[in-house]
């Protein structure tokens, strides 16, 4: 019985990781073509559909962590996925005025590199029970550059969207209303952006510790 459960888990995670890998591979390939043909202004239009799919699928990783399907702690998984979803839906999808900014391209480059490597790493691991040493190194090393670039790009895009939030009043709930509740998306986004200050060092330290542990194990095998 335990063997059947383990097999089902590996099969599910293998399929999940390969599907999302294909999503991010399509994002990356579409971005490259758009950059070469039309420049960074055309990147978002080329990748939008694939990005919305690949990034939204990551919601499942929060559930995987909560139910213990994977070893990743909720404390690291939740802020990473929540932040990505906020940028994807709450900024890029919600405010088209941000689409042509070069920070979209820098962010997608860092996200694409990270996720193509990460999902292929876990896809191979769950499918075959091992991962090549070069992929282990990439999995636990590329974040050194990609994570800061992605973080700066994300914060920059939130800031760029501020004037459009204020002008449009999108997602705001003004008083009076039947719920007697006030909500301003501009201040919510500003608060969300401020959370990067404590969250960034926390996640960076977590990934550095992961890297040290993973590479030390790789040397002994």
């Amino acid at each position: 019985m335990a063997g059947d459960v383990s097999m089902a888990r590996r099969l599910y995670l293998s399929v999940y990781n390969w599907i999302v890998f294909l999503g991010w591979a399509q994002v990356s390939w579409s971005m490259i073509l758009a950059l070469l043909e039309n420049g960074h202004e055309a990147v978002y239009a080329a990748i939008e559909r694939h990005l919305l799919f690949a990034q939204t699928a990551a919601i499942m990783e929060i559930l995987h962590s909560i139910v213990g399907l994977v070893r990743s702690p909720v404390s690291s998984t939740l802020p990473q996925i929540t932040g990505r979803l906020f940028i994807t839906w709450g900024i890029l999808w919600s405010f088209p005025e941000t689409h042509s900014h070069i920070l979209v391209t820098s962010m997608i480059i860092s996200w694409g590199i990270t996720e193509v490597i990460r999902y292929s790493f876990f896809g191979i691991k769950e499918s075959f029970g091992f991962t090549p040493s070069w992929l282990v190194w990439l999995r636990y090393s590329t974040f050194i550059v990609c994570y800061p670039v992605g973080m700066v790009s994300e914060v920059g895009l939130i800031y760029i969207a501020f004037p459009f939030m204020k002008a449009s009043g999108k997602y705001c709930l003004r008083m009076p209303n039947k719920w007697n509740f006030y909500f301003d998306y501009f201040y919510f986004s500003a608060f969300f952006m401020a959370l990067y200050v404590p969250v960034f060092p926390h996640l960076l330290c977590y990934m550095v510790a992961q890297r040290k542990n993973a590479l030390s194990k790789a040397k002994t095998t």
Side-chain angles (χ1 to χ4, degrees), residues 198-209:
V199 170
F200 174 74
H202 166 72
L203 292 179
L204 185 61
C205 289
Y206 170 74
M207 288 186 288
V208 168

Side-chain angles (χ1 to χ4, degrees), residues 6-219:
S6 177
M7 181 62 71
R9 171 195 166 278
R10 286 189 61 181
L11 178 61
Y12 164 74
L13 289 176
S14 178
V15 171
Y16 169 80
N17 281 293
W18 284 123
I19 288 174
V20 185
F21 164 78
L22 291 174
W24 279 107
Q26 186 63 59
V27 169
S28 301
W29 179 243
S30 299
M31 176 194 65
I32 291 169
L33 292 180
L35 275 174
L36 293 176
E37 294 173 3
N38 302 300
H40 73 267
E41 296 90 350
V43 164
Y44 184 78
I47 68 167
E48 180 180 45
R49 184 164 53 92
H50 307 299
L51 176 66
L52 294 177
F53 164 75
Q55 192 55 67
T56 304
I59 291 174
M60 295 303 298
E61 293 174 38
I62 299 175
L63 298 178
H64 296 167
S65 183
I66 290 173
V67 302
L69 204 59
V70 297
R71 289 184 296 176
S72 300
V74 179
S75 61
S76 63
T77 304
L78 184 62
Q80 284 182 304
I81 303 303
T82 302
R84 291 280 197 90
L85 290 171
F86 175 70
I87 296 297
T88 301
W89 290 98
I91 300 297
L92 294 178
W93 185 81
S94 299
F95 300 97
E97 299 90 345
T98 62
H99 292 180
S100 61
H101 201 281
I102 196 169
L103 287 179
V104 174
T105 300
S106 62
M107 182 183 72
I108 296 302
I109 289 173
S110 65
W111 285 11
I113 291 171
T114 299
E115 302 299 38
V116 166
I117 292 171
R118 185 165 73 94
Y119 286 108
S120 62
F121 173 89
F122 286 114
I124 292 173
K125 183 178 180 181
E126 296 297 342
S127 299
F128 306 109
F130 75 96
T131 47
S133 58
W134 59 268
L135 189 56
V136 174
W137 187 89
L138 286 175
R139 165 74 179 93
Y140 293 103
S141 300
T142 51
F143 79 89
I144 296 170
V145 174
C146 290
Y147 188 55
V149 170
M151 188 274 297
V152 171
S153 301
E154 291 169 31
V155 170
L157 286 169
I158 298 173
Y159 180 79
I160 289 164
F162 279 165
F164 309 115
M165 294 178 191
K166 298 199 80 171
S168 67
K170 185 176 284 188
Y171 307 138
C172 293
L173 187 62
R174 308 299 189 191
M175 295 281 283
N177 58 70
K178 63 181 181 180
W179 296 286
N180 198 33
F181 177 77
Y182 175 84
F183 177 77
D184 192 305
Y185 194 68
F186 171 81
Y187 291 112
F188 170 80
S189 299
F191 172 74
F192 198 97
M193 186 171 72
L195 291 178
Y196 277 77
V197 176
V199 170
F200 174 74
H202 166 72
L203 292 179
L204 185 61
C205 289
Y206 170 74
M207 288 186 288
V208 168
Q210 264 198 323
R211 180 179 191 271
K212 183 178 179 181
N213 185 50
L215 295 188
S216 63
K217 284 183 179 178
K219 288 180 181 179

